[in-house]
Amino acid sequence: MAADLDLKEAEQLALSRDPRVAQQQARSQSLAEDAVAAGRWPDPKVRYSVQNVPLGQTLGMESLEQSMVSIEQEIPPLGSLGRQADAARQQAEAETSLAQDRALSVVRDVRKLWLDVYLYNQTVALLQERVQTYEQLSKTAQLQYRSGKGDQQDVLRAELEYNLVREREMEFQQKLEESLSELLRWLGDDAQGRNLVTSFPHVPALPPFKQLEERVESHPVLAAATAQLNAARQAVNAAKARRWPGWMLDIGYGKRKSVGDTMYSASLRMDLPLFQWNLQSKLINARGYDVNAQHSGVDARRRELRTLLDVRYAAWTRLGQRFEHYKSIVVPQSQQLVEAARRSYQSGSAPLADVIRARNQELDANLEILRIKVERGKAHYDLLYLTGDIT
């Protein structure tokens, strides 16, 4: 029989199955190879030619036909290849950072789904317990009514509460099944047929808020945006390098057919960047607009991360205070109220409605503290996502 599946193993299964992580990692490797190729000169070209072939040969005329083999090498504008290679390397770094962010997002989402399964599983267990309680209460009300100590209204009220709790149990059983299906969609066939560990998962400790602020600055989302900005800047430099001329070197070797003379040739061609206003300047301006766009992107990503940090840290703090309030005050008081109502009902000094009301308040208190615990766990996982750590 397979061992129970815990959260840590579930995270690893989800990471191993996620196609976007693999896609971005492959994209990063592709761009890294492109960066190497972008920094190299083009391959030389070999040309073979036959020249001065006469269409007709006059008697006694010396043949001028000659064969020539030459090698051509294109020399790009000064500095352009290095800038192009740097831009490709920055793009590769951006994809690597995006792959890291995707892994962080996968782990965060799986953790939240795990908490949803825990919440609904515990809620169903609480409601099942209350179903049994109300079933017993309904039987007690019927016995009291048959013995003449109660009235029909108590019987109907107890039966109604029993059916209402049964309805809530079925509602949350449906939510449990839906969240479990969503979780298993991330985990794949390896998780099929395995029981989940039902206890509340271990949540790693959070660093102080000041450290959270510092870690946001090195988050993969921001690192990717910064790398894209640097790539845009290198593209500007590459466009500026095109203001310098490119060169073509041609070195040849040949022989004349008639006399067997050996001939050598060399030529050097140079680009004339005469139309800079329509070509180079426009390219530089276009890449400059790219830099402005990427700079705005960096600012936007930083603002989004800082907003998420502030909002979720405030929620995490407030939910912690609410959890302690419920744990130390509300839940104990609701239990005391149930006990007092039960004794009063048994002594005949209070109606059954007071017992039911007290039971409902206790149930609501227990469900609320459970919800607060899970919501705080989700806020905690959001903050761990911002640290860039998936351990």
Side-chain angles (χ1 to χ4, degrees):
M1 183 177 179
D4 290 349
L5 180 66
D6 61 12
L7 176 56
K8 197 64 182 176
E9 185 179 357
E11 294 169 7
Q12 297 303 318
L13 286 175
L15 285 173
S16 65
R17 294 188 69 256
D18 186 71
R20 287 184 57 187
V21 173
Q23 178 189 29
Q24 287 169 328
Q25 289 174 341
R27 177 65 177 163
S28 174
Q29 294 169 348
S30 172
L31 288 170
E33 296 296 329
D34 285 342
V36 175
R40 300 294 185 267
W41 281 10
D43 290 333
K45 297 180 177 64
V46 176
R47 183 179 62 175
Y48 173 77
S49 61
V50 178
Q51 303 175 4
N52 302 324
V53 179
L55 295 179
Q57 183 72 36
T58 303
L59 186 63
M61 180 179 292
E62 180 181 356
S63 174
L64 300 178
E65 180 181 340
Q66 60 185 30
S67 300
M68 179 72 68
V69 177
S70 61
I71 296 178
E72 298 178 351
Q73 176 63 59
E74 180 182 352
I75 304 174
L78 181 66
S80 63
L81 294 184
R83 269 71 174 191
Q84 292 174 8
D86 289 341
R89 277 192 290 269
Q90 290 295 329
Q91 289 288 357
E93 290 181 13
E95 289 295 330
T96 299
S97 296
L98 290 174
Q100 293 171 354
D101 176 65
R102 177 60 183 176
L104 289 170
S105 300
V106 168
V107 170
R108 178 194 58 186
D109 292 346
V110 167
R111 287 171 171 176
K112 286 186 172 183
L113 281 171
W114 191 277
L115 286 179
D116 282 337
V117 172
Y118 169 82
L119 171 63
Y120 297 137
N121 186 61
Q122 295 298 313
T123 300
V124 167
L126 276 174
L127 292 171
Q128 287 175 343
E129 180 184 334
R130 290 305 185 271
V131 164
Q132 296 175 1
T133 300
Y134 281 117
E135 184 179 18
Q136 184 61 42
L137 197 60
S138 177
K139 292 178 180 178
T140 301
Q142 291 175 9
L143 290 174
Q144 294 278 20
Y145 176 66
R146 290 169 186 168
S147 64
K149 297 179 181 180
D151 56 34
Q152 189 177 18
Q153 185 178 2
D154 288 344
V155 175
L156 294 174
R157 185 185 297 276
E159 289 179 351
L160 176 61
E161 292 298 331
Y162 166 78
N163 286 311
L164 288 175
V165 174
R166 281 280 296 142
E167 168 60 26
R168 292 182 73 182
E169 178 199 351
M170 290 186 287
E171 175 191 354
F172 280 96
Q173 184 67 46
Q174 177 184 345
K175 291 182 178 180
L176 172 61
E177 292 169 357
E178 290 172 353
S179 60
L180 186 58
S181 296
E182 183 67 16
L183 177 62
L184 292 177
R185 183 181 67 84
W186 284 88
L187 307 184
D189 296 337
D190 291 338
Q192 295 292 338
R194 297 180 63 181
N195 295 323
L196 303 186
V197 175
T198 57
S199 58
F200 193 82
H202 169 71
V203 181
L206 284 177
F209 184 77
K210 187 66 176 177
Q211 291 186 21
L212 286 173
E213 289 182 311
E214 294 172 355
R215 293 194 184 185
V216 162
E217 292 300 318
S218 58
H219 192 275
V221 166
L222 197 55
T226 302
Q228 289 168 345
L229 172 60
N230 292 334
R233 287 170 174 166
Q234 291 300 330
V236 170
N237 293 332
K240 289 180 178 179
R242 292 193 60 176
R243 287 176 168 175
W244 294 93
W247 302 81
M248 176 70 76
L249 178 63
D250 188 324
I251 298 176
Y253 167 83
K255 279 192 174 184
R256 183 174 295 179
K257 182 177 181 181
S258 60
V259 294
D261 291 343
T262 299
M263 294 170 291
Y264 299 94
S265 65
S267 64
L268 185 65
R269 288 182 290 171
M270 180 183 72
D271 296 333
L272 293 178
L274 299 178
F275 307 107
Q276 291 194 15
W277 179 254
N278 291 325
L279 182 59
Q280 284 85 356
S281 294
K282 294 299 182 182
L283 289 174
I284 293 170
N285 291 340
R287 300 292 77 78
Y289 289 131
D290 288 341
V291 170
N292 294 337
Q294 294 299 337
H295 197 281
S296 298
V298 172
D299 292 339
R301 299 292 88 74
R302 178 179 287 109
R303 189 178 300 114
E304 290 169 1
L305 292 173
R306 284 303 307 268
T307 300
L308 179 61
L309 171 62
D310 293 338
V311 170
R312 297 308 280 163
Y313 192 84
W316 178 79
T317 302
R318 185 62 64 186
L319 287 166
Q321 294 170 351
R322 293 184 61 199
F323 180 81
E324 291 301 324
H325 178 71
Y326 264 81
K327 181 181 178 181
S328 60
I329 298 176
V330 177
V331 172
Q333 284 183 346
S334 68
Q335 294 170 345
Q336 293 169 9
L337 180 61
V338 167
E339 184 61 24
R342 185 185 64 81
R343 288 197 301 265
S344 297
Y345 175 68
Q346 290 176 344
S347 66
S349 61
L352 180 63
D354 288 354
V355 177
I356 292 176
R357 188 180 302 109
R359 289 285 186 187
N360 286 339
Q361 290 175 345
E362 182 200 19
L363 175 60
D364 289 342
N366 279 285
L367 291 177
E368 183 63 11
I369 193 174
L370 179 61
R371 189 191 68 81
I372 291 172
K373 182 180 181 180
V374 168
E375 287 302 317
R376 189 169 194 256
K378 289 183 178 181
H380 196 118
Y381 284 140
D382 280 336
L383 295 173
L384 287 176
Y385 161 78
L386 291 174
T387 66
D389 187 8
I390 60 176
T391 58

